[in-house]
Amino acid sequence: MSLSTRSLESETGQLIMLTDQTETRLLQGQVAHYQRLSEMGRMMASWHIRSVRRCRRLCYTRVILLSRVCRQISRLSLLAKLNHGWKIWSIRCAICWCLPGETRLDDRLTLAQLFRDIEDALDVPLAAWDADCECINAVPDLQLQCNKEALLGALMNLVENSLQATGKGAELSIEASVLKERLCLMVADNGPGMDQEQCRKVLEPFYSTKSHGTGLGLAVAQVVAKAHHGEFVLVSELGKGTRAAFLLPYEKDANVSS
């Protein structure tokens, strides 16, 4: 209840007024209650938004980490498959190319075409070893009669040997030029190199410095070179890297300066 008084204008005395405030107090209580609920709602909404943002950032970070891990696993898995494939290819070539009638040179292509295939094949091993390879083709129009699969496989086997010898961050080069009337396809690295004795031994079949190696890579390279009526040359020096090259005949009608 509220009590109020008023003076009478025309007569003496006062007017006493009693007002029932029950309904007003109820309305004020409800308004206060709703205000508290509204404030709690804003607090909960703000907390929820912050939680969602934190969860989103956490999920995004985990997705990024997971994607990086998956890419790394994928690269390692692909590299393992590729390495396994090269080993099987080496054994297959060592058998097939030594059999009579298997030395078929059915592919006729330019060095520009060959280098496109080389650059495509380099993507996976270079990414796996975080390495770089400079492809230098000084004779893009020169034409070669060859077995492309065998020659490309032998070149990539040399690349893998260089990557394994040099390690992460290797710097390689693949260069095509004409040397004394023959095509020179050379793979060079900046690895530790070898002395003359080790350089001689690695050319022997089944000799390998790696525990998981077949010892057939360079032996097959020599067989492939001979099948192309050329030769395989290996030059290495301790502390200065290694150079491996195929010296092959080419189509003489091409305008190439030696």
Side-chain angles (χ1 to χ4, degrees), residues 86-88 90-91 157 205-208 210 212-217:
W86 278 341
K87 293 175 186 177
I88 298 300
S90 298
I91 297 172
N157 203 9
F206 304 108
Y207 176 84
S208 177
K210 302 182 285 289
H212 59 282
T214 62
L216 289 173

Side-chain angles (χ1 to χ4, degrees), residues 21 34 74-75 93 98 104 133 137 152 167 187 201 204 208:
Q21 297 287 334
Y34 290 142
S74 178
R75 287 177 180 176
C93 282
C98 292
R104 298 176 60 87
C133 182
N137 185 5
L152 181 61
V187 177
K201 285 184 177 180
E204 300 174 359
S208 177

Side-chain angles (χ1 to χ4, degrees), residues 86-202:
W86 278 341
K87 293 175 186 177
I88 298 300
W89 175 87
S90 298
I91 297 172
R92 174 180 175 272
C93 282
I95 296 172
C96 292
W97 281 79
C98 292
L99 293 175
E102 291 294 333
T103 55
R104 298 176 60 87
L105 308 179
D106 294 333
D107 302 311
R108 190 171 185 267
L109 66 160
T110 65
L111 265 293
Q113 293 172 319
L114 179 62
F115 264 68
R116 281 196 293 269
D117 292 333
I118 291 173
E119 290 172 356
D120 289 341
L122 283 171
D123 289 341
V124 172
L126 292 182
W129 288 90
D130 192 23
D132 185 37
C133 182
E134 183 179 10
C135 293
I136 307 170
N137 185 5
V139 285
D141 297 327
L142 183 146
Q143 293 185 346
L144 182 67
Q145 192 73 30
C146 66
N147 185 303
K148 187 179 75 170
E149 179 186 357
L151 185 57
L152 181 61
L155 286 169
M156 297 310 299
N157 203 9
L158 296 179
V159 169
E160 178 65 14
N161 287 345
S162 294
L163 291 173
Q164 291 180 356
T166 307
K168 291 283 187 180
E171 294 183 2
L172 313 181
S173 67
I174 300 178
E175 183 175 358
S177 60
V178 171
L179 180 64
K180 295 181 179 179
E181 299 299 322
R182 289 193 293 182
L183 168 65
C184 177
L185 289 172
M186 182 173 65
V187 177
D189 63 52
N190 63 334
M194 299 177 287
D195 56 31
Q196 292 184 355
E197 179 63 19
Q198 189 177 11
C199 193
R200 181 186 62 81
K201 285 184 177 180
V202 295

Side-chain angles (χ1 to χ4, degrees), residues 44-61:
M44 291 298 293
S46 176
W47 177 84
H48 180 69
I49 290 173
R50 289 196 298 270
S51 298
V52 169
R53 288 175 179 173
R54 283 196 298 268
C55 290
R56 186 173 60 186
R57 287 196 297 268
L58 181 60
C59 291
Y60 179 76
T61 302

Side-chain angles (χ1 to χ4, degrees), residues 1-39:
M1 299 291 291
S2 65
L3 177 64
S4 61
T5 60
R6 292 180 60 182
S7 298
L8 297 175
E9 296 178 357
S10 57
E11 298 179 7
T12 59
Q14 289 184 332
L15 179 65
I16 299 175
M17 300 178 63
L18 298 176
T19 306
D20 188 356
Q21 297 287 334
T22 303
E23 188 172 341
T24 301
R25 297 301 183 192
L26 289 175
L27 290 174
Q28 291 175 344
Q30 289 179 352
V31 169
H33 176 69
Y34 290 142
Q35 288 176 340
R36 288 194 297 271
L37 289 178
S38 177
E39 186 64 27

Side-chain angles (χ1 to χ4, degrees), residues 192-243:
M194 299 177 287
D195 56 31
Q196 292 184 355
E197 179 63 19
Q198 189 177 11
C199 193
R200 181 186 62 81
K201 285 184 177 180
V202 295
L203 293 173
E204 300 174 359
F206 304 108
Y207 176 84
S208 177
T209 58
K210 302 182 285 289
S211 59
H212 59 282
T214 62
L216 289 173
L218 296 182
V220 170
Q222 296 174 80
V223 174
V224 170
K226 289 180 180 178
H228 285 78
H229 312 295
E231 64 176 308
F232 176 74
V233 179
L234 183 68
V235 178
S236 186
E237 187 175 350
L238 282 174
K240 295 186 177 181
T242 300
R243 292 173 293 167

